[in-house]
Amino acid sequence: MANCNVDLTMNPEILPSVKKEEAFNEFYTEVKEIEKRDSVLTPKQQIDRLLRPGSTYFNLNPFEVLQVDPDAPLDEVKKKYKRLSILVHPDKNQDDPDRAQQSFEIINKAWKTLENEETRTKCLDVIEEAKARTDHMVSEKRKKLKREGKEQRVDEDDPGNYKHAVYVMTMKLFADMERKRRDLEQRDMEERKRKREQEIEEEEKATIEKEWQKNFEESRQNRVNSWKAFQAGSSGNTKSKNKKIRGSFKPPKHKAESR
């Protein structure tokens, strides 16, 4: 969005409605001329614009990136995209290829957003909500002034101030939307990580169980043979002992009683 340093000499509260409309139309025409002038910035100026401080948030608004009105037809948006992409293309800015590449990617992302009907509609909804919230804010300001018995005049009565207020609100809503997207992405990533860790734990448990079962099956015959040998040995020892006991046992002789 271009910075519009237009000197307004009218007072919207005292001018007749016709004059107010004429003044606004004149102001709006000047704004458009400034935007048109800025839209043909040099490659370096466009790169600086796209990478200026705060661009992370400014560039969330694809209309801001491509310098087009939200109600501009898609064909016009496409033409603007092509002009800007040529201006900032790395091949055209070999003295600053890294920043040119960043700018080119920003422009390309903005076009992809507006080219898609679904995402473009979401962006238009954001702008409409920004206008509605700004109007509500202005209405609340007037109500407050009325309760205080003051003149119901607010800064946003100035068309330039109103447009700036909508612009600021639009940036805020886009930033809020981006924060929500990142939070959702972070939660989704953490959930995927948790599930993956659980899967790994279950896989390791299954591997251990499988290995134990394999060892158990492989050692079964050894256990059976050991048991049989133990049983055979125990049986032989028992018979030998019994035979020995039966052969060696002699009852005591009866001794005659002497008188």
Side-chain angles (χ1 to χ4, degrees):
M1 190 73 65
N3 292 324
C4 309
N5 299 318
V6 181
D7 182 20
L8 297 177
T9 57
M10 70 260 192
N11 185 331
E13 289 297 312
I14 60 176
L15 284 175
S17 59
V18 176
K19 289 187 178 181
K20 283 175 62 177
E21 185 175 354
E22 290 176 353
F24 175 76
N25 289 337
E26 182 180 352
F27 163 79
Y28 192 72
T29 300
E30 291 184 50
V31 168
K32 287 301 177 184
E33 287 299 321
I34 292 172
E35 290 182 345
K36 184 177 180 180
R37 181 196 66 201
D38 288 351
S39 69
V40 290
L41 295 173
T42 65
K44 183 181 183 308
Q45 288 172 321
Q46 283 290 359
I47 291 172
D48 289 341
R49 178 182 72 86
L50 293 166
L51 300 179
R52 66 194 185 280
S55 59
T56 300
Y57 288 102
F58 291 130
N59 295 338
L60 291 173
N61 183 351
F63 298 107
E64 164 76 9
V65 172
L66 298 180
Q67 296 181 303
V68 293
D69 289 331
D71 57 353
L74 191 59
D75 288 344
E76 183 179 328
V77 176
K78 187 174 183 179
K79 289 177 182 178
K80 190 61 179 291
Y81 155 69
K82 287 183 176 180
R83 287 200 298 270
L84 289 174
S85 62
I86 291 172
L87 276 176
V88 303
H89 197 283
D91 291 346
K92 301 287 185 180
N93 297 274
Q94 296 185 10
D95 57 330
D96 195 2
D98 293 338
R99 296 178 76 241
Q101 181 63 36
Q102 292 180 54
S103 301
F104 181 79
E105 291 172 359
I106 290 169
I107 288 173
N108 190 58
K109 181 180 178 181
W111 164 244
K112 292 296 182 184
T113 299
L114 296 182
E115 180 186 31
N116 181 281
E117 185 177 353
E118 182 179 352
T119 51
R120 180 174 182 169
T121 299
K122 288 181 179 179
C123 292
L124 289 172
D125 289 343
V126 170
I127 291 173
E128 287 303 313
E129 184 177 351
K131 291 178 180 177
R133 289 196 183 191
T134 302
D135 290 341
H136 178 73
M137 177 191 68
V138 171
S139 177
E140 291 299 310
K141 282 185 176 182
R142 293 189 194 283
K143 289 178 182 179
K144 182 180 178 182
L145 291 172
K146 185 177 181 180
R147 287 194 301 268
E148 295 173 352
K150 297 179 181 178
E151 182 183 3
Q152 297 177 41
R153 181 187 176 190
V154 295
D155 293 339
E156 289 74 18
D157 287 332
D158 183 312
N161 290 340
Y162 176 79
K163 188 171 183 178
H164 179 71
V166 172
Y167 171 78
V168 171
M169 183 62 71
T170 300
M171 290 297 101
K172 181 180 181 302
L173 292 178
F174 271 112
D176 289 344
M177 189 168 67
E178 176 64 11
R179 278 193 291 269
K180 289 178 182 178
R181 186 194 66 78
R182 289 183 181 180
D183 290 344
L184 184 62
E185 188 178 73
Q186 180 67 24
R187 288 197 298 270
D188 183 59
M189 183 177 67
E190 290 174 355
E191 180 63 16
R192 288 200 307 270
K193 181 181 177 183
R194 185 191 66 78
K195 286 184 178 179
R196 182 56 188 151
E197 289 175 349
Q198 185 177 353
E199 288 173 358
I200 292 173
E201 184 179 349
E202 290 174 354
E203 288 171 1
E204 290 176 347
K205 185 178 179 182
T207 301
I208 293 172
E209 179 69 21
K210 186 177 179 180
E211 188 68 23
W212 184 90
Q213 189 65 30
K214 179 182 176 183
N215 293 336
F216 180 82
E217 293 296 333
E218 289 177 349
S219 62
R220 180 192 296 274
Q221 192 59 45
N222 291 335
R223 293 196 306 275
V224 171
N225 293 339
S226 296
W227 176 249
K228 287 181 177 179
F230 172 76
Q231 290 289 353
S234 298
S235 177
N237 291 337
T238 302
K239 289 179 180 179
S240 176
K241 285 180 180 179
N242 288 341
K243 190 180 288 186
K244 185 177 180 181
I245 291 172
R246 283 198 301 269
S248 62
F249 177 74
K250 295 179 180 180
K253 291 182 179 180
H254 180 68
K255 205 180 230 185
E257 193 174 317
S258 61
R259 292 181 181 265

